[in-house]
Amino acid sequence: HQCWHLALGKSNSYGPESGMKKMLTNIVFLIIGATIVLGLVIVCNPSAFWTKVAGAPDMGPVDFATLRGTTKPNQFLMCPDGLCETRKPGAQSPRYNVSKERLKAHFLDVMADEKHEVAEDNGTVFRFIARSPTLGFPDTVSVEFKDAEGGSTLAVYARAQVGYSDMGKNEERVR
């Protein structure tokens, strides 16, 4: 009987050891449960899962001139001088020696390889949904193409819909 009680996490003793065993057992079951849930998300359709959990993945348009953002580290803003006046960008946008139209065409060629969902394309403003490869976490990325002296530039704001941190993924995507 004593062996079965120990195997099932039961003990005749009381005190710190029995509380520690219960806590460790609960942690093991929590890890197993989380692994099963994540496995189901990966095997099933991650896009549909996150839409059910967090709503539509498109977080909507942004106005770069009045953008405030949040304090969460799951977003990144790159902006040219003078456009983002209400929020300090994480990086300044470079100026390119090509027209705004050519910059956008090149940008869209790069995006075509990435297989992102297009949410908006009105000629100047482009918004798409990017997803993490394994779990399909949705991020909304807004891009505005601008004329600049002798060429063009762009403003980019990428933000995660789910979670507090994105481990720098949106900064990596923008840069």
Side-chain angles (χ1 to χ4, degrees):
H1 280 287
Q2 185 67 22
C3 289
W4 283 108
H5 284 281
L6 289 174
L8 296 173
K10 296 180 179 180
S11 172
N12 290 335
S13 64
Y14 295 96
E17 257 184 50
S18 66
M20 185 64 116
K21 285 181 185 177
K22 281 184 179 180
M23 184 176 75
L24 288 174
T25 302
N26 288 340
I27 289 172
V28 167
F29 281 120
L30 181 66
I31 291 170
I32 290 169
T35 303
I36 291 169
V37 168
L38 288 176
L40 289 172
V41 169
I42 292 169
V43 171
C44 299
N45 182 349
S47 299
F49 174 81
W50 291 119
T51 298
K52 286 182 181 179
V53 169
D58 181 12
M59 297 172 72
V62 296
D63 179 355
F64 285 97
T66 60
L67 179 64
R68 296 245 183 245
T70 70
T71 58
K72 290 188 208 179
N74 65 357
Q75 57 188 325
F76 191 78
L77 174 64
M78 181 175 76
C79 225
D81 270 344
L83 179 60
C84 300
E85 296 182 18
T86 59
R87 177 158 179 216
K88 185 177 188 258
Q92 183 176 344
S93 300
R95 188 186 61 75
Y96 300 94
N97 292 321
V98 297
S99 70
K100 177 173 67 172
E101 291 75 23
R102 185 150 167 87
L103 177 61
K104 181 182 178 190
H106 178 71
F107 180 86
L108 293 178
D109 285 345
V110 171
M111 290 295 97
D113 294 338
E114 301 289 326
K115 300 177 185 162
H116 299 304
E117 304 164 39
V118 176
E120 178 184 13
D121 182 359
N122 73 10
T124 302
V125 175
F126 183 75
R127 191 172 69 252
F128 62 93
I129 310 304
R131 294 187 180 274
S132 62
T134 306
L135 296 178
F137 290 116
D139 296 340
T140 300
V141 182
S142 299
V143 182
E144 185 172 340
F145 300 92
K146 306 288 281 179
D147 289 317
E149 187 177 325
S152 62
T153 189
L154 70 165
V156 185
Y157 180 48
R159 59 223 187 262
Q161 180 189 27
V162 178
Y164 180 77
S165 176
D166 68 347
M167 296 181 282
K169 186 63 183 168
N170 279 315
E171 180 176 356
E172 179 186 314
R173 180 179 288 122
V174 170
R175 289 186 186 265

